[in-house]
Amino acid sequence: MSNDKSLLFIAGLGFTGSSALCDLLSEYKGVLCPSQEWRIWVDPDGLIDLANKLSCETSIFHTTTSVNRFSYLIKQLTNSFFGPYSKLKLPTYLKDAYAKIEFDIKKEFNLECYQGLWYGNSNSFIASANFAMKRKLWKKDFINKPMWLTEFSSKNEALTIIGSIVEKHLFNHLIETNNQHFAVNENFSVLFSDSILHMHKKAKIVVVIRDILDVYADAHKAGWLAMPYNINQFIKWQKQMYSQLIKLKSTNSERIHIVKFESLCNDYENEIIRLKKFIPDLLNKRVTERFKPDVSKKNIGQWKSTHPWLEQYYNETQEIITSLNTLK
């Protein structure tokens, strides 16, 4: 039965410690928590983007672009020898599930393919070729590209349909492996929580936050290229995310839980109690040890030795974190 299965999203905000929480959850019986980021929900052209473009304010151009880009994303995620996701090593069962999800989405939305061109997928030379030799090449496959038609649905309907497809394939794997819960390592997923929590009606999100200056120092040590290293731009980015988090947490208070990395290390027992109240079904029986608080706590305050010049920004960044105290 799949009605006793669940999804829990682990949402880091970039080097905030979501991997530590994944290690912790993996200690419990019945919880399957792959260490790799899944990248299928919140990455551009992923499930949430697709749901938006298959509903309401859309057109054949938006539908075509979103379906083709989603298919390309799935190809990159499942065949990542080269390209933007070449370092992502997803388990084989997830790659198989992604392919099945793509197939079922096209089926459920009654997507019909035809060959065509428009400004966004062609150029003047290819378009003109259709009219050459008295239209002998008109709409031929080799000079035209796949375009898509779909049936109308609202955004909420699209989210619900996609969510049910995803859960069908993920929960099938849980049944096959005698597990009950998937803990999904999907960074920044909390920033899309309105869509995710509608897509998955019973899902919850745990977001891990951390001393912002340690985030800067740790990301710099790893060489994370996506992050702005100009300190003023970095702080601007952090303020934006925390503002989003406050708004989203206030509207989904029962389904979003915030964990501070420092508390997880220094006050482990109490943080476990808080987690058990939020996700009691997941933390029933601990069967192994992967997360070691005494080891992880060595990463707390590292900026003081590696980037001491950040001291001048301490008060400003602390104000960002303490803004969460307004939440209940």
Side-chain angles (χ1 to χ4, degrees):
M1 297 293 291
S2 61
N3 56 6
D4 64 339
K5 311 304 179 187
S6 72
L7 290 176
L8 174 71
F9 288 83
I10 310 303
L13 295 177
F15 285 86
T16 58
S18 59
S19 295
L21 184 58
C22 286
D23 287 342
L24 187 155
L25 293 170
S26 296
E27 298 174 350
Y28 289 83
K29 183 179 180 180
V31 179
L32 194 57
C33 187
S35 59
Q36 287 282 358
E37 295 179 56
W38 291 39
R39 315 295 309 199
I40 192 174
W41 277 274
V42 303
D43 270 31
D45 305 320
L47 292 170
I48 293 176
D49 270 357
L50 182 65
N52 288 332
K53 295 301 187 296
L54 292 180
S55 59
C56 289
E57 294 183 350
T58 190
S59 69
I60 57 171
F61 310 118
H62 289 82
T63 299
T64 291
T65 302
S66 63
V67 171
N68 288 336
R69 286 181 176 176
F70 179 70
S71 294
Y72 181 74
L73 175 65
I74 295 300
K75 181 180 179 180
Q76 292 295 318
L77 291 173
T78 57
N79 298 284
S80 52
F81 298 106
F82 302 99
Y85 294 94
S86 59
K87 290 187 177 181
L88 189 67
K89 305 302 179 185
L90 291 173
T92 299
Y93 69 84
L94 274 187
K95 293 181 179 181
D96 292 342
Y98 284 7
K100 293 174 182 176
I101 288 167
E102 179 193 5
F103 178 85
D104 280 0
I105 285 175
K106 290 179 177 178
K107 180 179 178 181
E108 290 297 319
F109 283 91
N110 195 22
L111 283 161
E112 294 184 23
C113 184
Y114 68 97
Q115 296 301 113
L117 293 177
W118 66 290
Y119 287 110
N121 72 354
S122 67
N123 55 55
S124 59
F125 176 79
I126 295 176
S128 299
N130 276 275
F131 297 89
M133 296 179 289
K134 298 183 178 180
R135 296 193 179 188
K136 286 187 177 180
L137 301 180
W138 174 258
K139 301 288 272 187
K140 296 296 183 182
D141 288 357
F142 70 94
I143 59 170
N144 289 273
K145 298 181 180 181
M147 296 187 66
W148 297 90
L149 297 173
T150 185
E151 294 181 352
F152 175 82
S153 64
S154 68
K155 179 180 177 180
N156 286 343
E157 288 170 341
L159 288 169
T160 299
I161 293 170
I162 291 174
S164 64
I165 292 170
V166 171
E167 290 176 9
K168 179 181 75 171
H169 294 293
L170 295 186
F171 291 172
N172 280 345
H173 184 75
L174 290 178
I175 294 170
E176 292 169 0
T177 56
N178 198 30
N179 286 293
Q180 285 76 47
H181 314 283
F182 254 124
V184 178
N185 185 12
E186 187 83 339
N187 255 340
F188 304 106
S189 54
V190 71
L191 305 181
F192 301 82
S193 55
D194 283 344
S195 292
I196 286 176
L197 295 178
H198 190 96
M199 186 180 286
H200 304 289
K201 303 294 192 295
K202 297 181 180 180
K204 292 183 177 181
I205 300 174
V206 178
V207 56
V208 185
I209 64 171
R210 183 184 182 189
D211 183 334
I212 291 173
L213 298 184
D214 272 338
V215 171
Y216 184 97
D218 213 11
H220 186 271
K221 179 173 67 175
W224 187 28
L225 296 175
M227 195 183 86
Y229 287 99
N230 175 288
I231 187 61
N232 292 315
Q233 292 179 333
F234 172 75
I235 291 174
K236 178 179 181 179
W237 173 47
Q238 294 294 312
K239 285 181 178 179
Q240 174 194 346
M241 288 196 294
Y242 273 78
S243 295
Q244 288 177 266
L245 178 56
I246 290 171
K247 180 179 179 180
L248 293 165
K249 166 67 173 169
S250 64
T251 56
N252 298 287
S253 59
E254 300 300 316
R255 299 176 68 188
I256 297 176
H257 180 74
I258 298 174
V259 173
K260 292 183 178 180
F261 175 76
E262 293 80 9
S263 296
L264 195 62
C265 298
N266 292 324
D267 197 13
Y268 174 79
E269 296 299 332
N270 280 330
E271 286 301 328
I272 290 295
I273 292 172
R274 292 181 65 235
L275 279 168
K276 285 184 175 180
K277 289 181 179 179
F278 182 67
I279 45 174
D281 294 337
L282 272 74
L283 305 184
N284 283 324
K285 185 177 181 181
R286 190 172 181 230
V287 293
T288 187
E289 180 185 13
R290 290 191 176 129
F291 173 65
K292 296 178 173 58
D294 289 338
V295 175
S296 292
K297 69 173 56 175
K298 295 177 182 178
N299 294 315
I300 297 174
Q302 62 176 299
W303 66 267
K304 295 175 183 178
S305 58
T306 61
H307 296 74
W309 59 271
L310 290 174
E311 174 71 32
Q312 60 188 304
Y313 301 98
Y314 177 78
N315 291 335
E316 184 177 3
T317 55
Q318 284 300 303
E319 286 179 5
I320 298 173
I321 295 174
T322 56
S323 66
L324 296 176
N325 293 339
T326 59
L327 299 172
K328 295 183 179 180

